[in-house]
Amino acid sequence: MTAATTAAPAEPVRIGIVSISDRASSGVYQDEGLPALQQWLGSALHNPVAFVPRLIADDQALISQTLTELVDAEGCALVLTTGGTGPAPRDVTPEATLAVADKVMPGFGEQMRQISLQFVPTAILSRQVAVIRGRALIINLPGQPKSIRQTLEGLRGDDGRTPVPGIFAAVPYCIDLIGGPYLETRGEVCQAFRPPAARRETGRA
């Protein structure tokens, strides 16, 4: 009788989550960005995830240092930031992100603004960017938990369909293309898109 072999558990995907706020990082109020990111990603991904969280102030050098550390030292395949993307003097997240970029991915910011414009005309004031550093994708997200979910997930109609896709639908294939891990999403939260040739048989429904 042959003993059954058990497949090795999948290695967790390392994802950096960064909340950028002077007041939250100094304890003036409780940070809501990190819990919102962790909750949404946990619900959207089949993959086991090892989160690497950071709560930091609106300081350009510190933000760049943190992003570099999360990618180069912590081995994160994906880094999501929240906060610091408006026009105010202390909003320097986009500048700090661009400073560590190998490539800029402008489509992510364009789609986030398109989603937010469905709700408020001031969405044109947002300056979110996305970049590639090495084999990692870094994306700036809005600061409010509801806006984080909307931009990642997209807008759902009454029939449950998403007439305006969220940006996360493109994230797994982007990470494929830069040599990162294969991310699988839960279709009821976010249906990732890949060309047929890029899809793998994983046995998931």
Side-chain angles (χ1 to χ4, degrees):
M1 187 173 182
T2 305
T5 58
T6 304
E11 191 163 326
V13 176
R14 294 181 67 78
I15 298 180
I17 51 175
V18 186
S19 186
I20 300 161
S21 167
D22 285 333
R23 290 181 292 174
S25 64
S26 63
V28 173
Y29 61 72
Q30 186 172 357
D31 172 65
E32 296 182 341
L34 295 178
L37 289 169
Q38 189 163 338
Q39 187 279 328
W40 192 89
L41 290 163
S43 69
L45 289 171
H46 279 293
N47 307 69
V49 177
F51 291 105
V52 188
R54 298 288 187 271
L55 175 58
I56 60 175
D58 291 280
D59 177 84
Q60 185 170 339
L62 177 59
I63 298 167
S64 291
Q65 176 187 328
T66 300
L67 298 178
T68 300
E69 174 194 338
L70 289 171
V71 174
D72 297 1
E74 295 287 352
C76 294
L78 174 65
V79 179
L80 300 179
T81 76
T82 176
T85 60
R90 292 289 290 175
D91 290 335
V92 293
T93 301
E95 287 77 13
T97 303
L98 292 169
V100 303
D102 294 328
K103 295 179 180 178
V104 180
M105 304 295 291
F108 285 100
E110 292 166 3
Q111 183 65 5
M112 282 189 275
R113 284 180 282 276
Q114 175 64 25
I115 292 169
S116 296
L117 277 168
Q118 306 295 313
F119 302 99
V120 290
T122 51
I124 60 174
L125 302 180
S126 66
R127 302 186 303 117
Q128 292 102 323
V129 300
V131 305
I132 303 295
R133 179 180 175 85
R135 294 186 176 183
L137 174 62
I138 304 171
I139 306 175
N140 301 156
L141 295 171
Q144 297 299 317
K146 183 178 180 181
S147 298
I148 290 171
R149 179 182 58 78
Q150 289 168 340
T151 53
L152 289 171
E153 189 173 313
L155 307 181
R156 292 188 183 274
D158 294 337
D159 58 359
R161 302 177 70 180
T162 53
V164 182
I167 63 164
F168 206 83
V171 166
Y173 185 49
C174 181
I175 291 177
D176 292 350
L177 292 172
I178 60 177
Y182 190 83
L183 300 184
E184 295 182 82
T185 59
R186 301 181 189 276
E188 66 273 18
V189 178
C190 173
Q191 185 66 57
F193 176 82
R194 286 181 171 95
R199 297 170 192 163
R200 300 180 190 174
E201 291 296 329
T202 64
R204 297 196 188 277

